[in-house]
Amino acid sequence: MNFTSPFSIAIVVITALALLGMPIGLSMICGSILYLWMAGMDMGTVAEQFLNGMYSNYIILAVPLFIFAAEIMNSGSMTERLLRFCNVLVGRFRGGLAQVNVIQSLIFAGMSGSAIADAAGSGRMMQNMMTRENRYTPSYAAALTAVTAVIGPILPPSIPMVIYALVSDASIGYLFLGGVVPGLIMTAMQMLQVGWDARRKNFPVEEPVPLKDVPRITWQAFPTLLMPVILLGCIYSGVTTPTEAAALAAAYAVIVSTVIYRSLTLREGYNAVLVSAKTSASIGMMIGGALVFNYVVTIENLPESLRAILTSWDLNWWQFLLLVNAILLLLGCVLEGTAVLLIIVPVFIPTAQALGIDLVHFGVVVVVNIMLGLVTPPYGLLLFIMTNISGSPMRSIIRDCMPFLAWMVLCLALITFFPELVLWLPRMAGYGG
C-alpha cells in the first residue's frame, strides 16, 4: 500500500478530523474533497454525489419520520400506557418488573425502529420504576434497559435496515420480515436470563394487578398496541411503501397523543420536532458524507480489490460470514453503527454476492452485529446513555451486561450459520432469494 497516495492521505485526514471531534460525516466530506483535489479531479463532484444521493433516495425519508414517531410516543403518554399493559402480562412473576422491561422493548420495537429512542424514552421510565424502593440495583436496571433496547432495530420497523437497504438495494419489506425470528429469539434469551437472575438474586415480586383493572388497562393501551399492527399491515399488504408507512406512523402517533389521550402539550410537541430534527440532521450528514466517500472508494475500486483478495483465500460462505462478524464486532467497539453501515458494509457486499450469500440474510446479520456494538465497551452508545440516565459507574453496567451480551452473541451465531432462521418468514411471504 502506498502511504503517500491520495487515498491513504484522505483516510488519515478523515481519521484525524474525527479524533479531533469533527462529526464523521463532515470528516468524510473533507477527506473526499482533498482526495479529488490531489487526484486532479473535479471537486464539484462532491456536491453532485451529495445532492444526487440525498435527493434521489426516497427511502431516506423513512429515517426522520420513524425518529419523529418515537419522540412523539415518548413525549405523550403512549409509552406510559404501554408499560402498564406489559406489567399486566408479566409483572406478577418473580423479577416481573425486569420482564416488563424486556416485553415493552419487544412491543416498542414495532413502533420506532430506534434503539436510542427506546433507551432514552421508555428506558428512562423503566430505570425509575425498577430502582424505586431499591427493588433492583441501578446498574442492573441500566444494563437491562440497554440490552433490551437492542431488540428495537432488529424487529420491524428498523432504521438500520433502512440504511442497509440504501447501500445494498435489498428489499426493505423482506429485510423487516427477516429480522422477526432473530428478534424473537433474542427476546426469549433475555427473558431466560432475567428468570435465572430472578431466582439467583431473589428479585422482588410485584403486587399483582387486580383482575377487574385488566380490561381498563388493556383498553387504555389499545390505541398504542394498534400502531405496529397498522404500520406493518400497511407495508405487507402493499397499501403503502415503507417510507409512506413511516409517515403514517408519525401521523398516527400525533393523533393518538393529541386527540385520543390528550397528553401531548404544544411545548412537548415542539421539543419532539426539535429533537427529531437534530437527530435526523446528524444522521443525514453522516449519510451524505458516506455517499461522497463511497464514490471515492468506488474510484479506488476497493470493493473489487477486497473481493479478489478474499477469493484468493478460497473462503466459503460461512467462513466469510465468520470473518465479517469478527470485523464488525471489533469495529462496533470503537465506531458508531451508522458509520459502519455506510462505510464498511458496502465494501463487503460484492464478495457476499459472489459467494452466493443472500443479501437479506447478510443484512440481518450485519444489523445484529451493529446492535451488539451499542452495548459493547468501550464505545457502546447505549452504555453511555444509560450511565447518564442511571448515574451508575460504567464498569458496573458493563459487568451486568455481560451475561446478556453472551446470549446475544449466541443468537448472532445461530442466524449466521442457519440462514433459514432469517429467510423462512420472507420466503413464506413470497421472497424468491
Side-chain angles (χ1 to χ4, degrees):
M1 179 178 180
N2 184 1
F3 292 99
T4 61
S5 68
F7 185 72
S8 298
I9 294 173
I11 293 292
V12 171
V13 168
I14 292 171
T15 305
L17 290 175
L19 291 175
L20 289 172
M22 180 179 283
I24 185 66
L26 288 175
S27 300
M28 286 188 288
I29 291 174
C30 291
S32 300
I33 291 174
L34 178 64
Y35 171 88
L36 294 173
W37 176 72
M38 294 182 67
M41 302 174 67
D42 181 10
M43 289 186 288
T45 305
V46 170
E48 181 184 350
Q49 291 295 318
F50 187 96
L51 294 174
N52 287 342
M54 295 298 288
Y55 290 105
S56 64
N57 284 296
Y58 179 60
I59 189 176
I60 296 177
L61 274 176
V63 175
L65 290 168
F66 279 131
I67 292 172
F68 178 64
E71 288 298 328
I72 290 295
M73 287 185 61
N74 289 328
S75 298
S77 64
M78 294 179 72
T79 301
E80 183 181 346
R81 294 168 192 263
L82 175 61
L83 291 177
R84 290 178 193 162
F85 175 75
C86 293
N87 189 50
V88 168
L89 295 179
V90 293
R92 64 182 65 242
F93 304 110
R94 182 166 297 282
L97 200 53
Q99 298 286 14
V100 167
N101 200 335
V102 182
I103 294 296
Q104 66 85 21
S105 288
L106 175 66
I107 300 176
F108 198 89
M111 306 176 194
S112 73
S114 169
I116 306 302
D118 190 351
S122 59
R124 189 182 297 272
M125 297 181 192
M126 286 305 311
Q127 183 72 26
N128 293 334
M129 291 170 62
M130 291 181 68
T131 55
R132 191 180 302 150
E133 299 175 359
N134 296 319
R135 288 185 177 95
Y136 300 82
T137 63
S139 63
Y140 186 86
L144 183 61
T145 299
V147 296
T148 57
V150 167
I151 299 171
I154 297 172
L155 288 163
S158 166
I159 291 175
M161 286 184 184
V162 170
I163 296 173
Y164 172 80
L166 174 68
V167 300
S168 69
D169 289 329
S171 164
I172 300 180
Y174 291 131
L175 278 168
F176 282 179
L177 280 178
V180 171
V181 172
L184 293 176
I185 291 174
M186 193 171 291
T187 301
M189 288 177 169
Q190 291 181 352
M191 294 185 75
L192 284 172
Q193 182 62 42
V194 168
W196 170 257
D197 290 341
R199 289 180 173 80
R200 188 166 55 91
K201 300 181 180 180
N202 196 31
F203 285 162
V205 178
E206 304 303 314
E207 185 176 342
V209 177
L211 288 178
K212 63 181 180 65
D213 292 339
V214 172
R216 176 181 57 82
I217 294 172
T218 304
W219 178 250
Q220 288 176 344
F222 183 73
T224 302
L225 297 171
L226 201 59
M227 184 173 173
V229 177
I230 295 174
L231 178 62
L232 300 177
C234 286
I235 293 175
Y236 296 117
S237 65
V239 174
T240 66
T241 66
T243 301
E244 291 165 346
L248 180 64
Y252 182 81
V254 171
I255 292 171
V256 170
S257 296
T258 55
V259 178
I260 299 178
Y261 291 155
R262 299 181 181 179
S263 59
L264 185 69
T265 65
L266 190 61
R267 178 180 293 275
E268 289 173 338
Y270 173 76
N271 288 335
V273 171
L274 197 63
V275 171
S276 301
K278 289 180 178 178
T279 306
S280 300
S282 175
I283 294 176
M285 183 57 71
M286 189 176 296
I287 291 174
L291 290 170
V292 174
F293 183 69
N294 285 341
Y295 174 73
V296 172
V297 169
T298 303
I299 293 174
E300 288 288 317
N301 205 28
L302 196 59
E304 286 302 314
S305 299
L306 179 64
R307 186 177 71 84
I309 292 171
L310 292 176
T311 301
S312 68
W313 290 357
D314 198 25
L315 298 177
N316 58 31
W317 68 270
W318 67 264
Q319 290 171 330
F320 170 74
L321 285 179
L322 200 60
L323 177 64
V324 170
N325 282 343
I327 292 172
L328 294 183
L329 286 174
L330 287 174
L331 290 175
C333 296
V334 293
L335 288 178
E336 200 274 332
T338 305
V340 175
L341 263 175
L342 291 168
I343 304 169
I344 308 299
V345 172
V347 178
F348 290 124
I349 289 175
T351 307
Q353 290 177 305
L355 290 172
I357 297 171
D358 186 88
L359 287 185
V360 169
H361 175 227
F362 186 65
V364 174
V365 170
V366 163
V367 168
V368 172
N369 266 291
I370 289 170
M371 290 306 100
L372 290 183
L374 292 175
V375 289
T376 305
Y379 184 78
L381 187 55
L382 287 176
L383 298 177
F384 285 103
I385 290 174
M386 294 315 302
T387 297
N388 182 53
I389 290 175
S390 67
S392 296
M394 174 76 79
R395 63 180 179 277
S396 300
I397 297 177
I398 291 173
R399 179 196 63 216
D400 289 331
C401 275
M402 283 302 139
F404 294 97
L405 193 56
W407 281 110
M408 289 190 284
V409 171
L410 174 59
C411 178
L412 174 61
L414 288 174
I415 66 170
T416 296
F417 296 114
F418 300 98
E420 282 304 313
L421 290 174
V422 173
L423 298 174
W424 171 73
L425 201 53
R427 283 174 177 161
M428 291 287 288
Y431 178 59

